[in-house]
Amino acid sequence: MRVTIIGSGGVGGYFGARLAQAGNDVCFVARGAHLEALQKKGLILKSIQGDVQIRQARFVSNLADAGPADLILLAVKAWQVAELAPQIAQLMGEETLVLPLQNGVLATEELTAALPADQVLSGLCRIISYVEGPGVIRHTAVEPSIVYGFRDPALNTKAARLKTLFEQAGIKARCSEHIEADLWKKFIAICVSAYLALTRSTYGELRSCKETRAIMQALFEEVAMVGRRSGVLIEEDFVGKTMALIDTFPPETTASLTRDIWEGKPSELDYQNGAVLRLADKLGVDVPVNRFIYHSLLLMERRARKEL
């Protein structure tokens, strides 16, 4: 299958490498020193599930150079999705599927503003990985998996081929009949990333201190409440399951948003805790923990975006 990876960082780099390793025609879209290294040496993946170096792939800087694709895997930061949507349209044929893997719950809506709704999936992934250096992806924890599906589950037959594609590449995959609920369940968990940034802590440190653990749970409860008020089916015991999930993460690990804020880079803060605030305000409910965390980081975010 012809696969285009837009955003060749920790997520796109990992999944693209596994798809290329399985023999698919993969094109990676990247930029800067990362792109230069990819073009010279290929993509080097260092993974707890086995290392690989990918040379038999294309590495380009412009979407226009990627050419037509059967699957477009969108792995850029959340704030880049809306801007890229019109450009993605130029790569699509009648059977092309677009699968966004952003954190948050807004990507599909932003894509379908410019692309056919019956070709845009909703999706999420689970993996802890990052760019270790130009051309090098490091996968440190979590069995990599992808969950995907159409908002209208009647369209899921169009995506049946993806399960085979991913599983042949050693990627655990599931086509969901309730993808909105799946997105929200991941969204609940990732919203703690900003609290990690604010406390300058790892998952292990945050969960081991009773005071910060209690605030983490309160944060999750707020997001779950907003999801339920938005009409999403979230089980009453789900926050407890999320806390148990966080307890399984390697103690030294952090999240990509956390690292971006620490490094003074633009982050997905507005698409995570910021989105919780906007949705809560529309619903007329209070989310004081998320509001405090978001507002505490807002100046750093604006500084990173050169808005101050």
Side-chain angles (χ1 to χ4, degrees), residues 8-10 13-14 17-18 28 34 37-47 50-55 59 130-139:
S8 302
Y14 179 88
R18 293 303 187 202
F28 294 86
H34 190 46
L38 292 171
Q39 290 174 332
K40 290 179 180 178
K41 298 182 179 179
L43 190 153
I44 298 170
L45 173 62
K46 300 178 181 179
S47 169
D51 300 347
V52 67
Q53 184 170 8
I54 301 298
R55 295 183 180 274
F59 304 99
Y130 58 93
V131 178
E132 184 178 71
V136 182
I137 304 298
R138 170 77 70 172
H139 164 221

Side-chain angles (χ1 to χ4, degrees), residues 138-198:
R138 170 77 70 172
H139 164 221
T140 59
V142 180
E143 179 185 10
S145 64
I146 292 177
V147 181
Y148 60 92
F150 282 97
R151 282 181 163 179
D152 178 0
L155 295 172
N156 278 349
T157 53
K158 297 180 61 145
R161 54 189 163 142
L162 296 186
K163 186 172 178 63
T164 300
L165 171 74
F166 291 135
E167 290 184 345
Q168 287 180 344
I171 300 166
K172 186 178 178 181
R174 176 170 65 88
C175 184
S176 173
E177 296 294 307
H178 306 284
I179 191 62
E180 286 298 305
D182 287 311
L183 285 172
W184 267 89
K185 288 175 181 179
K186 181 183 178 184
F187 184 54
I188 291 168
I190 64 172
C191 282
V192 77
S193 304
Y195 191 39
L196 291 174
L198 184 59

Side-chain angles (χ1 to χ4, degrees), residues 188-189 192 216-224 239 242-243 246:
I188 291 168
V192 77
M216 176 170 64
Q217 181 165 347
L219 182 155
F220 291 152
E221 295 284 5
E222 289 182 357
V223 185
V239 167
T242 302
M243 295 290 287
I246 297 294

